[in-house]
Amino acid sequence: MDVATIDQVRLNFNPQGLFIINTAIGLMMFGVALELKLNDFRRIFVAPKAPMIGLASQFILLPAFTFLLTLILRPPPSIALGMILVAACPGGNLSNIVTYLARGNCAVSVSMTAVSTAAAIFMTPFNLAFWGSLNSHTAQILRQVCLSPFDVFINIFIILGIPLIAGLLLSRAFPSLVEKVRKPFKIFSLVFFIGIVAAALIANWQYFIKYV
């Protein structure tokens, strides 16, 4: 597929489909929250240096360098904005597994995951709006799609913030129950999300075939 034709691809997600996808993301976020405890946040105040370096790299340096990379490579505006969006998102719980396999400091990794997940409610829409507006071409897309940082914040808070808070509260109130359902729920939410994404791709496959 020619890169120039990528902008012509349109995925047909109806409101019901978007609701199901958002629900799947919320379930995954709830599963991540079950892995976290309030003590994970307290570690930041006890030994803040390493987590702060990691968070600054994730929410400041990564979006900034990604923005510079889009200026150097000059991809189509939609791809450039997509690169910025990916760079603005938190690392997620997978980083804890990678840290464990690499024999790194899991306590620092979990602390960063906990705080970055909460910070993403504010930082992801901010970084997308800030860095996307610095390039006139990507800023035009932001205006065309009427992307409001406030609306993005509300959506992220509903999809990520509420499941995060609910998971933390449930983990604190019923630790024994959470210990039993944590692993099965994680597997269920992951399989559910993969199934939803696969179904969405199959339903919109004709839009990809058209431009191959």
Side-chain angles (χ1 to χ4, degrees), residues 7 29 48 104 115 127:
D7 285 344
M29 188 64 250
V115 176
N127 274 323

Side-chain angles (χ1 to χ4, degrees), residues 17-74:
L18 289 175
F19 175 78
I20 294 175
I21 292 176
N22 289 337
T23 300
I25 296 174
L27 287 174
M28 291 190 66
M29 188 64 250
F30 182 75
V32 170
L34 294 179
E35 300 284 340
L36 303 175
K37 295 180 176 61
L38 292 178
N39 287 333
D40 297 329
F41 292 87
R42 295 192 182 102
R43 291 194 186 104
I44 297 295
F45 300 99
V46 176
K49 183 178 180 180
M52 288 299 103
I53 292 175
L55 291 172
S57 300
Q58 181 170 314
F59 286 117
I60 299 177
L61 296 182
L62 180 57
F65 280 116
T66 301
F67 172 74
L68 293 177
L69 187 63
T70 62
L71 297 181
I72 296 172
L73 298 180
R74 296 183 179 180

Side-chain angles (χ1 to χ4, degrees), residues 75-87:
S78 59
I79 294 181
L81 191 62
M83 291 170 62
I84 294 173
L85 175 60
V86 172

Side-chain angles (χ1 to χ4, degrees), residues 56 67 71 76 113 137 164 169 195 210-211:
F67 172 74
L71 297 181
T113 298
H137 300 293
L164 173 64
L169 292 177
K210 180 179 179 180
Y211 295 99

Side-chain angles (χ1 to χ4, degrees), residues 186-201:
K186 182 192 297 185
I187 296 174
F188 165 76
S189 61
L190 180 60
V191 172
F192 181 64
F193 179 77
I194 293 176
I196 292 299
V197 172
L201 291 176

